[in-house]
């Protein structure tokens, strides 16, 4: 098998080498490249591959179709909306993801954003650096707040547990309640969740049903004192509508780790919106999560080579 890693996984070289060594010893070839989003460059690197490994780099149908030997795509990421799954299915190519590796990391950043917004951390940091005090910026506590989770899968459930530890009431909304969700989460219709929540946090996948789920109408149904958090996918949110709501005072704040386009272009309305805290898609990227990630994608590859693929999404 010719195995090609098309982008860095952000782990030390010795860790990557240790994962590649048994593959080479078993007679496979392994090549690793730095990320390049240009499809023609990807095709030149991947053309002869039997297996492609990527993280969150877009992989379009043009590239997939140009790889006649390709049989397996090993995605070092939870979401796979950046992979043309239809093109993969058309060629009978299996696709596996790395579900679970970043559950703790993402949940912790969601809570971090909640605390930072509630306690005005960016604003008081700026004041302190400029020799000023906290006047007018006394924050509020997370304890006692009602947190509404849109999406209660693994990450949403972990976020629910962390919020409960702070003393929050937790509401949940999801299309299908399976019964294995935390028992303390009260599942309610979306309209009720929006009306009751002090903090609304997004933890749902991006698909045709959820794209733009946080519209201007949804934002209007939230409390004007509420916060919106998004550590899932940028395209879940109508970003122009969110900027308008923040600037008009119809929403108290937003904490975003994801945007529809990353990095954002100059002039993006959320970059200058009031009380909007933005991080550059770092929720998944703790040291511990990166090590779990490489372990997961290596296990996915071993399972595929053994004829029993796991974590298959397509």
């Amino acid at each position: 098998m010719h195995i090609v890693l098309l982008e860095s996984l952000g782990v030390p070289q010795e860790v990557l080498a240790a994962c590649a060594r048994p593959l080479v010893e078993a007679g496979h070839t392994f090549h690793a490249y730095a990320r390049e989003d240009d499809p023609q460059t990807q095709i030149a690197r991947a053309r002869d591959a039997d297996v492609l490994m990527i993280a969150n780099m877009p992989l379009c149908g043009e590239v997939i179709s140009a790889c006649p030997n390709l049989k397996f795509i090993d995605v070092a990421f939870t979401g796979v909306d950046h992979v043309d799954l239809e093109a993969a299915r058309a060629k009978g190519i299996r696709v596996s993801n790395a579900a679970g590796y970043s559950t703790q990391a993402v949940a912790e950043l969601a809570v971090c954003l909640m605390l930072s917004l509630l306690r005005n951390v960016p604003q008081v940091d700026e004041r302190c650096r400029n020799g000023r005090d906290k006047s007018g910026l006394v924050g509020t506590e997370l304890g006692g707040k009602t947190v509404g989770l849109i999406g209660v899968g693994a990450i949403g459930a972990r976020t629910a547990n962390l919020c409960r530890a702070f003393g929050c009431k937790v509401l949940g909304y999801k299309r299908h309640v399976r019964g294995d969700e935390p028992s303390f989460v009260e599942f309610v219709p979306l309209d009720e969740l929006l009306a009751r929540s002090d903090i609304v946090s997004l933890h749902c996948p991006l698909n045709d049903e959820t794209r733009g789920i946080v519209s201007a109408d949804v934002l209007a149904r939230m409390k004007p004192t509420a916060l919106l958090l998004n550590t899932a996918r940028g395209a879940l949110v109508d970003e122009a509508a969110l900027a308008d709501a923040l600037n008009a005072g119809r929403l108290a704040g937003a904490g975003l780790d994801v945007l529809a386009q990353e990095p954002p272009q100059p002039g993006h309305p959320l970059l200058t919106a009031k009380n909007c805290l933005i991080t550059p898609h770092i929720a998944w990227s703790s040291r511990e999560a990166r090590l779990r990630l490489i372990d997961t994608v290596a296990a996915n590859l071993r399972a595929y080579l053994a004829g029993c693929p796991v974590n298959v999404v397509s």
Side-chain angles (χ1 to χ4, degrees):
M1 290 276 185
H2 182 42
I3 302 162
V4 175
L5 173 61
L6 278 178
E7 64 175 311
S8 168
L9 300 183
V11 296
Q13 185 59 38
E14 59 270 22
V15 174
L16 182 62
C19 290
R21 190 175 302 115
L23 297 171
V24 175
E25 290 173 350
H28 306 293
T29 59
F30 180 85
H31 288 94
Y33 296 95
R35 175 170 172 161
E36 175 53 70
D37 287 0
D38 173 55
Q40 295 308 310
T41 303
Q42 293 176 2
I43 289 171
R45 294 172 174 178
R47 193 187 313 273
D48 298 326
D50 297 286
V51 173
L52 286 181
M53 302 173 70
I54 63 168
N56 64 343
M57 179 184 74
L59 189 66
C60 66
E62 178 185 4
V63 177
I64 294 170
S65 298
C67 301
N69 301 325
L70 186 59
K71 304 174 185 68
F72 181 55
I73 300 172
D74 196 358
V75 182
F77 215 61
T78 301
V80 293
D81 49 279
H82 55 297
V83 178
D84 190 332
L85 296 180
E86 288 189 9
R89 290 189 195 103
K91 295 189 66 177
I93 298 167
R94 290 290 187 94
V95 181
S96 289
N97 73 344
Y101 79 95
S102 63
T103 297
Q104 182 71 17
V106 177
E108 286 188 6
L109 188 76
V111 174
C112 173
L113 292 172
M114 294 178 196
L115 294 169
S116 295
L117 288 165
L118 290 170
R119 299 301 295 269
N120 302 306
V121 170
Q123 298 94 322
V124 294
D125 174 84
E126 187 273 334
R127 285 197 181 183
C128 189
R129 293 174 188 277
N130 287 280
R132 300 166 61 198
D133 64 21
K134 65 181 184 300
S135 298
L137 285 176
V138 177
T140 59
E141 297 174 357
L142 179 55
K145 298 291 187 294
T146 297
V147 177
L149 305 175
I150 299 179
V152 192
I155 294 173
R158 186 60 187 143
T159 304
N161 277 289
L162 294 179
C163 289
R164 187 192 191 203
F166 276 89
C168 299
K169 167 70 175 177
V170 183
L171 307 179
Y173 169 78
K174 62 186 302 189
R175 290 186 179 276
H176 304 290
V177 179
R178 299 183 308 185
D180 58 353
E181 298 83 2
S183 60
F184 58 84
V185 177
E186 179 185 354
F187 285 93
V188 296
L190 181 58
D191 281 351
E192 182 177 344
L193 181 146
L194 297 170
R196 291 173 57 187
S197 296
D198 301 301
I199 301 167
V200 174
S201 189
L202 304 181
H203 299 283
C204 50
L206 177 64
N207 53 42
D208 290 341
E209 293 181 345
T210 61
R211 188 177 301 274
I213 188 173
V214 181
S215 61
D217 177 62
V218 163
L219 292 166
R221 285 180 273 163
M222 293 174 62
K223 298 178 182 180
T225 55
L227 305 175
L228 175 72
L229 301 183
N230 188 6
T231 55
R233 287 291 186 270
L236 296 170
V237 177
D238 181 333
E239 295 174 340
L242 175 58
D244 287 345
L246 291 168
N247 291 330
R250 297 192 300 272
L251 195 69
L256 311 171
D257 185 55
V258 288
L259 296 170
Q261 182 178 0
E262 298 171 354
Q265 295 297 306
H268 190 292
L270 287 170
L271 296 178
T272 54
K274 294 180 180 177
N275 204 24
C276 185
L277 179 58
I278 305 177
T279 52
H281 207 148
I282 63 165
W284 65 276
S285 187
S286 68
R287 289 188 178 92
E288 295 87 346
R290 284 174 179 264
L291 293 175
R292 287 193 294 268
L293 174 62
I294 193 72
D295 288 343
T296 302
V297 295
N300 285 348
L301 181 53
R302 288 193 301 270
Y304 173 78
L305 294 174
C308 49
V310 295
N311 293 323
V312 175
V313 295
S314 177

